[in-house]
Amino acid sequence: MSSGEDTGSGLAVVRGRNYPSIRQFTVFLENRVGQLLEVVRRFEGTTVKIVALSITDAAECAFVRFLLSHPEEGREVLERAGLAIIESDLIGVELPEVAQPLLQICTALLQAEVNIVQAYPLLVRPRGRPAVALMVDNIDIGLETLAAKGFAMITEADLRSDD
């Protein structure tokens, strides 16, 4: 199967998998003033936009997590910068129009015994709705559960606001 084929399950194939996911790039930076700016500037003049960002500070280094509008091109930019990168798959989920949307998402995942490891909001609003990125301990079950409960998934294609 190639990227973009439909398997009949209603979920598009992404990088050889039968579910939508969004790629997160974790970059390790020296804990020094200006390091984040240096990385962010590398995207200047490209089509790549940072659509979500999370920073975890430690004594010696910082872990910066990016979701990018164009992940393939973004990976090339980060690699050319000589940065140590970890690539992970996350679930992108649109927040439902209810009083406590995170309560519904957390409840659905808890019922399936799926643990949320990381979570952060997207800086863009795919399809005009707020959304979050979730790293879970079992992405297959997490995606299946959320899709079965009627949640709208966000794919990498949804992050490309300029296409």
Side-chain angles (χ1 to χ4, degrees):
M1 280 185 222
S2 63
S3 179
E5 283 184 40
D6 188 12
T7 63
S9 67
L11 300 175
V13 175
V14 178
R15 293 182 321 280
R17 297 198 193 161
N18 294 328
Y19 57 81
S21 65
I22 49 180
R23 282 175 278 183
Q24 169 186 270
F25 298 96
T26 302
V27 177
F28 302 92
L29 298 178
E30 188 178 335
N31 199 352
R32 218 169 22 99
V33 172
Q35 290 294 292
L36 179 61
L37 177 60
E38 285 183 31
V39 174
V40 171
R41 274 195 177 143
R42 296 203 177 263
F43 297 113
E44 191 173 21
T46 72
T47 59
V48 180
K49 292 182 178 42
I50 298 169
V51 298
L53 173 73
S54 170
I55 302 170
T56 304
D57 189 32
E60 297 294 321
C61 65
F63 303 97
V64 183
R65 295 176 177 92
F66 294 102
L67 298 181
L68 304 171
S69 62
H70 296 78
E72 296 297 330
E73 186 180 344
R75 182 191 313 106
E76 290 177 20
V77 169
L78 296 170
E79 286 174 345
R80 278 195 309 266
L83 297 167
I85 303 166
I86 294 176
E87 189 174 328
S88 309
D89 287 317
L90 274 63
I91 297 173
V93 63
E94 191 175 285
L95 297 178
E97 291 187 51
V98 297
Q100 295 293 330
L102 290 175
L103 178 61
Q104 286 191 343
I105 293 168
C106 290
T107 300
L109 292 172
L110 176 64
Q111 288 171 347
E113 297 183 6
V114 174
N115 188 39
I116 298 172
V117 178
Q118 296 173 16
Y120 49 98
L122 275 60
L123 300 171
V124 297
R125 290 177 158 242
R127 300 187 295 260
R129 302 275 315 132
V132 293
L134 304 173
M135 178 182 277
V136 296
D137 62 357
N138 189 323
I139 194 165
D140 295 312
I141 294 175
L143 281 163
E144 183 179 303
T145 298
L146 292 174
K149 298 276 187 183
F151 289 95
M153 299 300 146
I154 301 300
T155 67
E156 289 180 348
D158 296 319
L159 301 179
R160 295 185 185 110
S161 60
D162 59 345
D163 286 355

